[in-house]
Amino acid sequence: LPNRFIFFDIVNAVPVAANPTVTPIWMTVEPVRAVLGDFPRLGKHRYEDNTVTRMVRSLVQMGELNGYSLTPDLSAIAPVITNPKAFGALIYKTAKRLLLPNAAPYSYRTRAMSESFGAQTAFLADLENALYDLQNPTMFSSYQTFYSWLGGVVGLDVWTMMTKMKVDAPIAEAQINISGLYINSGSPALPR
């Protein structure tokens, strides 16, 4: 064996799968395109990758995604976005910002032809509703009734204050409140 050579190949270490600590910005490009319906026409997208990633970067830098920031090289968002609502809000906000400059209807006319393009206000309203649903809890989710919600908003029992009524008549005295209608002695005559 002293006359024989042994050859070794030096290769890079095999990467070990680890939990990600950042969300790369390139991962937002396809979801934004899907929301906008930006599917390739004749091999091209309406919005280039660079345009989408710049808008995502701008929104994160403006604080539109609470609790997240850009990495020093501006290529990822830290910490990793695990909350689907936060990711959805970022995607919807990016789509909205890309769409806003072209949301109004426009048309052109030349001597030989004319063409009109419709407004995208309905789509923009849908984006707004989707953003609202992501960022706000459903109404009345923590209240049992409309009356308790109204009392929570105003801070006092509005129905009792606004519907208290006394009628002086030879027959009876009536009082209306949330519990019902009281006549004379205060016992409910017509509970609601």
Side-chain angles (χ1 to χ4, degrees):
L1 288 183
N3 295 338
R4 300 192 186 231
F5 296 101
I6 299 175
F7 294 99
F8 294 97
D9 285 334
I10 300 174
V11 295
N12 291 331
V14 176
V16 177
N19 288 337
T21 57
V22 296
T23 301
I25 290 181
W26 62 263
M27 288 181 68
T28 62
V29 173
E30 288 305 314
V32 168
R33 284 192 175 138
V35 168
L36 289 172
D38 184 14
F39 305 112
R41 290 179 187 90
L42 302 174
K44 284 185 75 177
H45 288 281
R46 181 175 177 191
Y47 299 101
E48 294 178 12
D49 292 358
N50 233 358
T51 305
V52 177
T53 56
R54 284 180 186 159
M55 184 59 73
V56 170
R57 261 191 224 110
S58 298
L59 290 173
V60 174
Q61 286 175 323
M62 289 187 297
E64 291 288 328
L65 193 60
N66 290 334
Y68 297 92
S69 62
L70 294 175
T71 56
D73 65 352
L74 304 178
S75 66
I77 302 166
V80 64
I81 304 173
T82 57
N83 181 350
K85 287 186 176 186
F87 188 75
L90 178 64
I91 299 304
Y92 288 151
K93 285 179 181 183
T94 303
K96 178 183 163 189
R97 297 292 174 119
L98 288 169
L99 182 69
L100 276 173
N102 303 316
Y106 64 96
S107 62
Y108 68 88
R109 174 179 271 185
T110 64
R111 190 172 226 186
M113 64 182 253
S114 66
E115 193 166 352
S116 297
F117 300 92
Q120 296 180 345
T121 51
F123 179 65
L124 200 55
D126 283 345
L127 275 177
E128 286 289 337
N129 289 336
L131 268 171
Y132 180 85
D133 290 342
L134 278 176
Q135 295 174 334
N136 298 297
T138 54
M139 195 171 177
F140 304 126
S141 64
S142 61
Y143 295 98
Q144 297 299 317
T145 65
F146 174 73
Y147 303 110
S148 62
W149 172 78
L150 187 61
V153 170
V154 178
L156 54 101
D157 189 359
V158 175
W159 294 107
T160 302
M161 302 304 271
M162 295 185 71
T163 59
K164 193 171 190 176
M165 165 175 54
K166 286 191 175 195
V167 179
D168 290 326
I171 302 170
E173 184 177 292
Q175 183 179 0
I176 302 172
N177 62 25
I178 295 173
S179 303
L181 172 67
Y182 294 92
I183 298 180
N184 277 346
S185 65
S187 60
L190 301 170
R192 297 191 106 190

